[in-house]
Amino acid sequence: SSELTQDPAVSVALGQTVRITCQGDSLRSYYAGWYQQKPGQAPVLVIYGKNNRPSGIPDRFSGSSSGNTASLTITGAQAEDEADYYCNSRDNSGNHVVFGGGTKLTVL
Amino acid sequence: QVQLQESGPGLVKPSQTLSLTCTVSGGSISSGGYYWSWIRQHPGKGLEWIGYIYYSGSTYYNPSLKSRVTISGDTSKNQFSLKLSSVTAADTAVYYCARDRDGGGWNSFDYWGQGTLVTVSS
């Protein structure tokens, strides 16, 4: 199995751009998925694959990847974007799943 | 629209077996390309993948839980289930079932149940 590492907390001013990163060896082979979780709610997929948004996810959310690092970028952060964000991927075996520890995003 | 719903006891005694079922509607667990998964979240903590079952019946488990976990499927009811044996207080968590969509070079959990809190206590 492999691990994914995220910064525990990130803050952004309202309307500004923020990048949340996820590092791990498996990201050299697999694209990360990104999830938003608000208190008391199930996670919601916001980015999958190279840079795909499920229906209903605003286009201010985007994803990118370089080497062992995947990034989720929110361009023009809104108050409603304040949440925990998690990344995931398959592990190096391709048979298991790993999650990052999560990043708490505060919108100031 | 795919929907998943967890069901099962909210309280389990230490050393006993935790059993949960996920009922799927709007999609079939027999469909290829999807892994039907269990994920848990300890109070105030991050997400932990428990394991999944593929439409073929193949299962894969988190190595840290493998000795205690069994995931099975019932295609006639379009349900899949989780059994976690010899539970302790450390297994107290919100348990989610989710659909894992496989894209070859990526995977994503695109549909989730609402989650169910399971408390391990005597």
Side-chain angles (χ1 to χ4, degrees):
Chain A
S1 186
S2 58
E3 296 181 351
L4 298 179
T5 301
Q6 297 182 242
D7 291 329
V10 171
S11 62
V12 61
L14 183 68
Q16 295 304 298
T17 297
V18 63
R19 177 174 290 183
I20 298 170
T21 61
C22 174
Q23 289 188 302
D25 284 344
S26 62
L27 299 179
R28 297 184 186 277
S29 303
Y30 297 99
Y31 288 110
W34 289 95
Y35 306 84
Q36 177 192 71
Q37 186 180 36
K38 296 182 179 179
Q41 298 182 18
V44 173
L45 178 68
V46 295
I47 292 290
Y48 67 95
K50 189 174 183 180
N51 180 20
N52 302 295
R53 284 177 288 105
S55 175
I57 300 301
D59 62 4
R60 63 179 179 271
F61 290 88
S62 63
S64 61
S65 183
S66 178
N68 72 337
T69 301
S71 300
L72 172 70
T73 299
I74 307 174
T75 303
Q78 302 299 302
E80 60 264 32
D81 299 335
E82 186 164 289
D84 294 327
Y85 290 85
Y86 295 91
C87 61
N88 92 281
S89 79
R90 296 266 185 248
D91 75 349
N92 287 328
S93 76
N95 293 324
H96 303 107
V97 172
V98 288
F99 281 98
T103 296
K104 182 177 182 60
L105 176 66
T106 300
V107 179
L108 305 172
Chain B
Q1 178 79 350
V2 177
Q3 294 184 312
L4 297 91
Q5 178 68 58
E6 305 90 351
S7 60
L11 180 64
V12 181
K13 288 181 167 51
S15 80
Q16 294 190 342
T17 296
L18 178 160
S19 295
L20 295 174
T21 295
C22 182
T23 300
V24 179
S25 59
S28 171
I29 67 169
S30 301
S31 299
Y34 301 108
Y35 296 79
W36 302 92
S37 304
W38 288 97
I39 296 160
R40 70 180 183 180
Q41 186 169 35
H42 294 104
K45 302 297 184 182
L47 301 169
E48 179 181 28
W49 176 73
I50 299 171
Y52 55 52
I53 185 166
Y54 196 42
Y55 79 101
S56 63
S58 298
T59 54
Y60 291 95
Y61 304 130
N62 187 322
S64 69
L65 298 169
K66 184 177 181 179
S67 63
R68 298 194 293 131
V69 173
T70 302
I71 296 175
S72 59
D74 185 337
T75 55
S76 67
K77 296 181 179 179
N78 214 32
Q79 296 175 333
F80 62 105
S81 299
L82 168 69
K83 291 188 184 299
L84 181 64
S85 63
S86 305
V87 298
T88 69
D91 294 308
T92 293
V94 174
Y95 287 76
Y96 295 99
C97 58
R99 188 180 82 167
D100 179 357
R101 179 182 169 194
D102 184 77
W106 54 267
N107 78 297
S108 65
F109 295 96
D110 55 357
Y111 291 99
W112 296 68
Q114 65 185 22
T116 187
L117 174 63
V118 178
T119 301
V120 179
S121 175
S122 56

